[in-house]
């Protein structure tokens, strides 16, 4: 008899560690007697039946590679006429016993809806933003904050030499995990996150104080999704939204550019802005993300074997766990305020 088939897809923005998950799911599932089918480019691959059978030999050592060998997209099944029906029909036609969806809140949100419609689906939490509830960390986050740390450190010499203020925009959508952790590690003098309201006036006062005290340079890390009330009229993101309705932060005039202009005008200090952008999620995964992706991938196959559908593999207090997709997508995970309070001690 042909072996049972497990499907896997990677959706949303790619994150370093995805290939570690693909390798782990394929290897563990093959060892346990399953065939593994990869769907290409996220939910689009399921809708269009674009598949690729994965074997242990093919995925050997890919945990060291960034991106995803399966490709990704922001295709939203809910936005397509009969999208859910087509998806379920196609998965049945491919004889998929269970589907692994590796993604952030959008991909996992679709997975949860499919579970409610009867699909045997399990999730793996992926995003550099670290904003998925129910898990202490998402893979991709560690690599991304290490990039931020490295870039901030590199900026120090040029910023200090020119006695400038440098405002750096950091990804992370509507949570400040990346700016906070990357900013602490990379020595930012001020960190602005969506969870804490700060005005441009307060930022200018902080910069002036720093210059008056003799330190005539500053690096400010600002989350792309930060809301700085007195400059928001100057922020103009690209009008285009993705299929999940998200504004494309980091395009058009972002918060860093608007803030930099205001700082220069109010303080007279030469100020520049910089968007780290997609460099933050490019390149090979950190050791931590390779390990986390591996652990989550092995665990999610065990969850399938136990019939824990509608659940997501997670890391909680160091151990692997299964949490409901409902909990995972219910609300955005915001920063730890104690970490923010610690960071504040080092502002300016
Ligand atoms: O969710 C991950 C993320 O990198 C966000 O931090 C960022 O806002 C967004 O994706 C960028 O999306 P795209 O790659 O579609 O421009």
């Amino acid at each position: 008899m042909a072996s049972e088939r497990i499907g896997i897809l990677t959706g949303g923005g790619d994150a370093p560690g995805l290939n570690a998950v693909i390798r782990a799911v394929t290897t563990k599932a093959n060892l346990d007697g399953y065939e593994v089918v990869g769907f290409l480019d996220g939910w689009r691959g399921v809708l269009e039946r674009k598949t690729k059978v994965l074997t242990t030999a093919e995925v050997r050592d890919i945990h060291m590679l960034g991106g995803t060998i399966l490709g990704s997209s922001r295709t939203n099944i809910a936005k397509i006429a009969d999208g859910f029906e087509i998806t379920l029909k196609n998965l049945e036609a491919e004889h998929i016993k269970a589907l692994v969806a590796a993604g952030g809140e959008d991909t996992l949100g679709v997975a949860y809806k499919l579970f409610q419609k009867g699909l045997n689906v399990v999730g793996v939490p992926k995003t550099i933003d670290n904003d998925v509830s129910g898990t202490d960390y998402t893979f991709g986050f560690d690599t991304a904050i290490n990039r931020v740390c490295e870039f901030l450190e590199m900026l120090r010499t040029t910023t200090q030499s020119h006695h400038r203020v440098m405002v750096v925009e950091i990804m992370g959508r509507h949570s400040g995990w990346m700016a906070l952790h990357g900013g602490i590690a990379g020595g930012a003098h001020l960190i602005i996150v969506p969870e804490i309201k700060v005005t441009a006036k307060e930022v200018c006062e902080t910069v002036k104080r720093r210059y008056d005290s003799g330190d005539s340079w500053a690096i400010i890390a600002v989350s792309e999704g930060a809301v700085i009330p007195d400059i928001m009229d100057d922020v103009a993101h690209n009008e285009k939204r993705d299929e999940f309705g998200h504004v494309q932060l980091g395009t058009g005039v972002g918060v860093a550019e608007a803030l930099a202009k205001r700082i220069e005008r109010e303080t007279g200090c030469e100020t520049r802005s910089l968007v780290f952008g997609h460099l933050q999620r490019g390149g090979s995964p950190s050791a931590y993300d390779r390990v986390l992706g591996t652990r989550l991938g092995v665990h999610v196959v065990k969850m399938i074997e136990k019939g824990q559908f509608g659940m997501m593999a997670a890391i909680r207090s160091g151990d692997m766990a299964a949490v409901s997709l409902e909990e995972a997508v219910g609300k955005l995970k915001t920063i730890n305020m104690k970490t923010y309070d610690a960071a504040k001690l080092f502002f300016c």
Side-chain angles (χ1 to χ4, degrees):
M1 201 183 91
S3 38
E4 288 187 303
R5 304 181 105 198
I6 290 179
I8 180 167
L9 64 84
T10 57
D14 69 302
L18 275 168
N19 286 326
V21 174
I22 295 168
R23 179 182 81 130
V25 166
T26 306
T27 308
K28 167 77 178 148
N30 282 176
L31 275 171
D32 294 355
Y34 299 99
E35 184 172 56
V36 177
V37 181
F39 288 90
L40 307 184
D41 300 336
W43 294 113
R44 193 193 298 151
V46 186
L47 286 166
E48 298 174 3
R49 277 184 81 175
K50 291 204 171 129
T51 61
K52 178 182 180 8
V53 171
L54 299 170
T55 64
T56 298
E58 259 175 289
V59 298
R60 190 158 290 134
D61 294 339
I62 63 165
H63 63 304
M64 299 177 195
L65 305 175
T68 160
I69 61 158
L70 290 176
S72 194
S73 72
R74 294 197 187 275
T75 300
N76 184 358
I77 289 171
K79 285 275 148 80
I80 287 152
D82 301 325
F84 287 107
E85 290 69 26
I86 298 169
T87 302
L88 293 172
K89 207 175 88 228
N90 287 352
L91 289 169
E92 205 183 317
E94 292 289 343
H95 305 290
I96 299 299
K97 170 197 158 82
L99 180 70
V100 177
E105 49 149 346
D106 296 331
T107 305
L108 297 176
V110 171
Y112 180 53
K113 285 193 192 127
L114 284 165
F115 169 68
Q116 288 175 311
K117 291 179 191 293
L119 183 72
N120 287 344
V121 62
V122 284
V124 183
K126 162 245 62 163
T127 170
I128 61 167
D129 304 341
N130 198 38
D131 60 356
V132 176
S133 290
T135 185
D136 294 343
Y137 290 104
T138 55
F139 64 84
F141 174 64
D142 183 71
T143 307
I145 60 171
N146 275 292
R147 299 267 185 281
V148 171
C149 168
E150 194 186 340
F151 297 156
L152 286 175
E153 226 176 297
M154 285 196 282
L155 269 182
R156 292 173 80 87
T157 50
T158 170
T159 307
Q160 188 166 16
S161 302
H162 286 265
H163 311 290
R164 282 176 177 152
V165 179
M166 193 66 86
V167 184
V168 178
E169 188 169 301
I170 294 173
M171 279 186 171
R173 284 237 165 96
H174 305 292
S175 69
W177 289 96
M178 283 182 59
L180 181 59
H181 286 239
I184 293 173
H189 302 111
L190 188 62
I191 301 170
I192 305 171
V193 291
E195 290 87 343
I196 308 282
K197 199 155 275 171
V198 176
T199 63
K201 189 166 173 279
E202 286 164 337
V203 175
C204 292
E205 281 163 6
T206 309
V207 167
K208 271 194 228 148
R209 258 199 319 274
R210 179 172 164 88
Y211 273 61
D212 289 346
S213 74
D215 284 320
S216 56
W217 66 289
I219 295 182
I220 300 174
V222 59
S223 292
E224 60 180 3
V227 178
I228 303 175
D230 44 347
I231 58 159
M232 291 323 276
D233 283 349
D234 306 328
V235 173
H237 297 297
N238 191 333
E239 294 281 289
K240 209 172 140 224
R241 288 175 182 251
D242 70 18
E243 286 192 20
F244 289 88
H246 299 297
V247 176
Q248 293 185 338
L249 299 166
T251 60
V253 179
V255 73
E257 185 178 340
L259 181 60
K261 283 188 178 137
R262 182 64 62 91
I263 293 172
E264 187 162 285
R265 202 173 73 214
E266 295 290 321
T267 65
C269 305
E270 188 182 9
T271 307
R272 299 285 174 89
S273 65
L274 184 63
V275 179
F276 283 164
H278 293 84
L279 287 171
Q280 290 161 110
R281 58 179 214 226
S284 58
S286 65
Y288 182 88
D289 282 335
R290 294 177 198 195
V291 175
L292 180 57
T294 301
R295 292 179 73 193
L296 290 168
V298 170
H299 192 70
V300 87
V301 175
K302 289 185 187 164
M303 285 167 54
I304 291 173
E305 290 167 343
K306 284 193 206 150
Q308 292 177 308
F309 301 117
M311 313 277 282
M312 174 187 86
I315 181 160
R316 284 181 133 166
S317 307
D319 284 328
M320 286 293 109
V323 301
S324 75
L325 281 171
E326 187 178 13
E327 178 187 345
V329 300
K331 78 177 191 351
L332 218 60
K333 188 180 71 182
T334 49
I335 57 163
N336 180 323
M337 285 305 159
K338 288 186 184 144
T339 308
Y340 179 79
D341 288 342
K344 255 170 51 180
L345 300 177
F346 303 93
F347 286 176
C348 273

